[in-house]
Amino acid sequence: RKSFKVANTGAADLTIHKIDIDGENCKVLTRLPFTVKPGGSAQVDFSFDAAKGSGETINVLTLITNSVSKPQVNFFVTANIVD
């Protein structure tokens, strides 16, 4: 289990509606949607399955939000899977 933090630096509630995954290694564990109050933060938990591949791998988690300035935010998960 791994995680990253989503911080809301804006003046309005930030809602993460869904998280799209480009890659086969990651799975989001956090229940969606969720809302982060202004000035607050939330943790997004995900798993990474190293059995699904080898060598250098990149998975992109795209957060779909209600933000006018950043409706989509990409989070990159990189790994070098050694057999």
Side-chain angles (χ1 to χ4, degrees):
R1 178 177 278 217
K2 303 294 181 190
S3 65
F4 60 92
K5 184 167 71 171
V6 175
N8 182 359
T9 59
D13 285 356
L14 173 66
T15 299
I16 308 301
H17 295 289
K18 69 177 192 168
I19 300 176
D20 291 332
I21 301 171
D22 181 14
E24 60 183 22
N25 304 91
C26 290
K27 178 180 177 183
V28 175
L29 304 174
T30 298
R31 178 177 276 181
L32 298 166
F34 66 88
T35 300
V36 182
K37 296 290 185 189
S41 64
Q43 180 172 299
V44 175
D45 295 321
F46 66 96
S47 63
F48 183 88
D49 186 356
K52 294 181 178 179
S54 63
E56 290 187 33
T57 183
I58 299 174
N59 287 232
V60 182
L61 282 62
T62 302
L63 285 67
I64 310 299
T65 79
N66 68 329
S67 172
V68 175
S69 62
K70 292 186 179 180
Q72 295 184 4
V73 178
N74 291 326
F75 181 81
F76 295 87
V77 178
T78 62
N80 187 19
I81 301 171
V82 180
D83 295 330

